[in-house]
Amino acid sequence: MKDTIRKLVREAVETAMRKGALPPEAVDSFAVEVTRAKEPRFGDYATNAALVLAARAGMNPREVAGILTDNLSRGDVIEKAEVAGPGFINFFLTSKVWRDVLYSIHHARERYGHADPMNGPKVLLEFVSANPTGPLHVGHGRGAAVGDTLARLLKARGYRVETEYYVNDAGNQMRILGRSVLFRFRELRGETISFPDDHYRGSYIADLASEIMGTQLAEDLLSMTEEQAVDAVGRFACRRILDGIQNDLDFFGVSYDSYFSERTLYEHDKVAQTVEELRRRGRAEEKDGAIWFSMDSAEDDKDRVLVRATGEPTYFAADAAYHLDKLGRGYDLLIDIWGSDHHGYVPRVRAAIEALGYSPNALKVILVQFVTLVREGKKLSMSTRSGEFITLRDVLDEVGPDAARFFFLTKRADSHLDFDMDLAKKQSRDNPVYYVQYAHARVSSIFRIAAERGIDADLTDPDITALTLPEEQRLIKHLADYPDVLAEAAESVEPHRITFYLMDLAELFHAYYHDNRVLLEDPVVKKARLYLVEAVRLVVANGLRILGVAAPERM
RNA sequence: GCGCCCGUAGCUCAGCCGGAUAGAGCAACGGACUUCUAAUCCGUAGGUCACAGGUUCGAAUCCUGUCGGGCGUGCCA
């Protein structure tokens, strides 16, 4: 809708310019901004175009606004355009526009608000990518909800999206994992071990160790060197933990197009090649026995080690190789979703990408802030040191995937999230998940009751002019916003906007439902109202589908 | 020390690519169920947008500084 109006404003600007009413240089590169009107008396939409243009044209804003409205082609879209305040132009749209909104929702259904399929940019969206050294925690869950939703949102808007999970199954931490399990295994066999502080202490480590007991692997370990044993146990543990992670993600409703193993980067010599490429481009050099990536001071504050003096590449080197590999696969854009504790890492990776000959803008990083679990009003401490923490699975088992997903998306990604366990389980207004789902269930219920009672619920040729109530108009106008919300959420990569939109829609619907009956005697009003509430149901279902949350027909 | 993010109602948060009178939910208080689900609705109250400057016709929004919170600043990942 905003696009339509934007176009009309732009045309008005061009027309006025051609007539000489506006100086041409004023409007060269000018983005028309259209917003939803805040209040009914300001119409339906507004633009600040005249205010912006006035400064450049050296004219009075209200005068510019007048010129624009004079040159505006109203067509069958705009009923009235008036200049208001300091120079806003307020647009009142025709009733035909609002009628068409309902028609197009019923026509497009689950594709309402979606863009023409698959002609947008090719995007690789990487998210979660938790190390396979332990179960997923709640923060990973938030990243998963944001990533998975974003994937569907971008697809809905025509981006060609693929999702990937980067598995850090190489290097030092795999050795630590292997040793952690191996030590527990030896303890089980009666040896006394002094367990190192920096090793993984969670109970799942001991579980893995006891799983090894009595297997072929247990026997094979006896004849291996220490290094071989650590490697073998590490691979076993990694496999098992990754299985667990995939299981949890599956339960959460999250799936990937691909998993990418860090180990394969080494097996195919990609890390060394990347370091070599950086050397060739003069961006890496040896110093103190190590190989350093030389940073432009504009990019980051210091040089970073790529290959340690021991000859072992750093995580950074592997990550540079990984991003090079991703870019080499022909994507227009890489989106990475990271925990915000990695934010210092962004300039580094971006600099590496640029040094390897790609635009630094080819990488967009979304930083997801931490989640604090709250129960009975108290924050639950997340002790990572002991390895005993509340896992994503624990939360999913307690509140269910729908509530968890929705809650993870009730805040902007970069803001701290307090996850209230009690609230997530509550079945009332306080709980936004139920509130939105209930709107869907209520509409479904109307049609169910109609069917049960033999009431005619046919929707052909509704007379929408029968929807005369102000709250009906408000509902329709909110439904009209949905495509703009999706477009803006996709463009700004902010999936939480959908959540907020749905809560607003549910609120409007519940109030309408409360005050007005749909299944009336009057066949014309009844049909029109059925047509309206079904449109509400379709949009709620549409939005929940993008969030990956169920839209139940009864609750 | 330096860098990044944050500071909006008692609480949890929207709004932040400058625009018209700063919004919502919860909690508090007061109301509404013979109706298609009360898992709902209606009303009241609640604010120096951390603070101080600056830019602008106009600042919660942009810039600078101060204070407070989080994170980062490894030849860790």
Side-chain angles (χ1 to χ4, degrees):
Chain A
M1 192 69 76
K2 285 184 186 172
D3 263 343
T4 308
I5 296 164
R6 227 182 318 250
K7 214 173 137 220
L8 291 174
V9 174
R10 177 158 275 292
E11 279 168 15
V13 171
E14 278 159 11
T15 307
M17 213 171 67
R18 217 167 27 243
K19 288 187 191 165
L22 286 174
E25 65 277 7
V27 294
D28 261 358
S29 60
F30 161 65
V32 177
E33 193 177 301
V34 170
T35 55
R36 204 62 226 267
K38 281 187 192 168
E39 287 181 56
R41 68 190 172 95
F42 294 145
D44 299 309
Y45 293 87
T47 183
N48 64 350
L51 290 158
V52 179
L53 283 177
R56 304 197 196 189
M59 296 165 78
N60 176 312
R62 287 190 64 101
E63 189 189 341
V64 175
I67 291 169
L68 291 184
T69 51
D70 286 347
N71 288 283
L72 188 71
S73 96
R74 286 166 171 75
D76 54 5
V77 176
I78 292 169
E79 177 78 46
K80 186 171 65 168
E82 56 185 30
V83 179
F88 292 102
I89 303 171
N90 293 331
F91 301 99
F92 297 75
L93 272 45
T94 60
S95 55
K96 176 186 183 299
V97 170
W98 305 120
R99 271 204 304 281
D100 288 348
V101 166
L102 290 188
Y103 293 144
S104 64
I105 292 169
H106 280 266
H107 181 255
R109 301 180 69 85
E110 65 274 3
R111 291 204 49 81
Y112 175 63
H114 295 217
D116 292 334
M118 299 300 163
N119 49 11
K122 273 192 81 180
V123 176
L124 184 63
L125 178 57
E126 183 213 324
F127 59 100
V128 182
S129 299
N131 293 338
T133 54
L136 296 179
H137 59 241
V138 185
H140 294 129
R142 189 179 187 188
V146 170
D148 188 57
T149 300
L150 190 57
R152 261 191 305 276
L153 169 61
L154 293 177
K155 277 180 197 165
R157 293 303 303 171
Y159 295 64
R160 289 167 289 169
V161 183
E162 285 168 37
T163 56
E164 187 158 288
Y165 186 120
Y166 180 53
V167 185
N168 299 116
D169 53 2
N172 198 34
Q173 62 173 346
M174 277 300 109
R175 279 194 297 279
I176 294 177
L177 175 66
R179 266 202 300 273
S180 301
V181 176
L182 188 60
F183 289 166
R184 290 298 185 218
F185 172 75
R186 286 177 181 159
E187 282 176 351
L188 286 174
R189 294 174 59 98
E191 292 178 40
T192 307
I193 305 276
S194 68
F195 201 83
D197 274 349
D198 60 347
H199 280 40
Y200 302 110
R201 311 184 81 94
S203 57
Y204 62 93
I205 295 292
D207 293 344
L208 287 168
S210 55
E211 223 184 291
I212 295 174
M213 292 289 280
T215 64
Q216 183 64 42
L217 176 59
E219 223 152 285
D220 295 346
L221 288 175
L222 299 174
S223 56
M224 288 183 188
T225 64
E226 183 71 7
E227 196 183 334
Q228 287 169 327
V230 167
D231 185 62
V233 172
R235 280 170 190 258
F236 167 82
C238 173
R239 187 65 248 159
R240 278 309 159 90
I241 292 170
L242 197 58
D243 281 348
I245 288 172
Q246 284 175 317
N247 230 308
D248 290 351
L249 287 170
D250 199 49
F251 185 67
F252 198 32
V254 175
S255 61
Y256 286 88
D257 294 315
S258 55
Y259 282 77
F260 190 97
S261 157
E262 180 186 4
R263 195 194 300 256
T264 61
L265 287 173
Y266 289 100
E267 286 168 359
H268 300 146
D269 217 26
K270 291 285 181 66
V271 180
Q273 285 168 19
T274 302
V275 173
E276 193 45 45
E277 178 64 24
L278 286 169
R279 277 192 135 152
R280 203 162 31 237
R281 290 169 176 267
R283 292 300 299 271
E285 57 193 13
E286 203 167 322
K287 194 176 68 186
D288 304 329
I291 299 173
W292 297 70
F293 177 66
S294 48
M295 196 72 68
D296 278 354
S297 57
E299 295 166 332
D300 199 359
D301 47 358
K302 56 176 93 158
D303 292 352
R304 303 289 172 177
V305 171
L306 289 161
V307 183
R308 301 178 180 93
T310 59
E312 189 175 14
T314 60
Y315 181 86
F316 174 48
D319 224 10
Y322 174 48
H323 282 84
L324 182 61
D325 181 276
K326 289 202 276 192
L327 288 163
R329 287 186 251 157
Y331 295 102
D332 302 312
L333 178 67
L334 307 181
I335 301 178
D336 288 5
I337 299 183
W338 296 349
S340 64
D341 53 333
H342 287 69
H343 70 80
Y345 202 70
V346 177
R348 225 176 294 176
V349 174
R350 190 163 277 144
I353 286 172
E354 191 170 19
L356 288 162
Y358 289 89
S359 162
N361 296 325
L363 173 68
K364 171 149 190 72
V365 180
I366 298 174
L367 298 171
V368 178
Q369 281 279 6
F370 291 125
V371 178
T372 309
L373 286 175
V374 176
R375 197 195 288 283
E376 287 160 10
K378 284 190 289 260
K379 293 182 197 266
L380 303 178
S381 70
M382 300 298 254
S383 165
T384 46
R385 180 65 61 97
S386 66
E388 297 302 330
F389 53 91
I390 297 171
T391 63
L392 173 63
R393 186 58 188 232
D394 295 334
V395 173
L396 294 182
D397 285 341
E398 190 169 334
V399 310
D402 281 347
R405 261 178 181 275
F406 201 95
F407 269 61
F408 285 136
L409 294 164
T410 54
K411 306 276 182 287
R412 281 170 35 186
D414 62 359
S415 117
H416 276 279
L417 173 64
D418 282 346
F419 191 112
D420 188 330
M421 299 283 281
D422 307 304
L423 181 59
K425 285 188 291 182
K426 235 191 242 176
Q427 302 195 347
S428 71
R429 171 74 169 95
D430 324 3
N431 186 339
V433 196
Y434 283 93
Y435 190 70
V436 172
Q437 286 182 319
Y438 188 41
H440 186 271
R442 274 185 148 172
V443 178
S444 304
S445 162
I446 293 171
F447 282 92
R448 190 167 54 241
I449 294 285
E452 280 167 19
R453 299 185 187 168
I455 299 169
D456 176 25
D458 177 60
L459 295 176
T460 345
D461 289 330
D463 177 8
I464 291 171
T465 57
L467 299 172
T468 52
L469 299 172
E471 53 263 48
E472 287 168 338
Q473 293 304 306
R474 243 177 290 142
L475 260 178
I476 294 169
K477 289 178 180 182
H478 199 255
L479 292 171
D481 286 340
Y482 185 66
D484 289 333
V485 170
L486 286 192
E488 286 163 14
E491 197 187 343
S492 60
V493 286
E494 291 179 340
H496 75 278
R497 292 180 187 229
I498 301 168
T499 321
F500 282 91
Y501 171 84
L502 289 176
M503 291 191 283
D504 288 342
L505 177 58
E507 188 169 17
L508 288 173
F509 170 75
H510 284 307
Y512 175 68
Y513 176 95
H514 186 266
D515 294 340
N516 303 283
R517 285 186 64 77
V518 174
L519 298 175
L520 300 163
E521 292 302 320
D522 184 328
V524 176
V525 178
K526 179 187 68 179
K527 182 179 278 189
R529 289 189 175 175
L530 280 170
Y531 199 74
L532 171 63
V533 298
E534 173 66 0
V536 171
R537 191 191 68 77
L538 286 167
V539 172
V540 170
N542 187 319
L544 286 177
R545 189 193 182 92
I546 291 177
L547 301 183
V549 173
E553 302 205 340
R554 58 187 346 145
M555 291 171 72

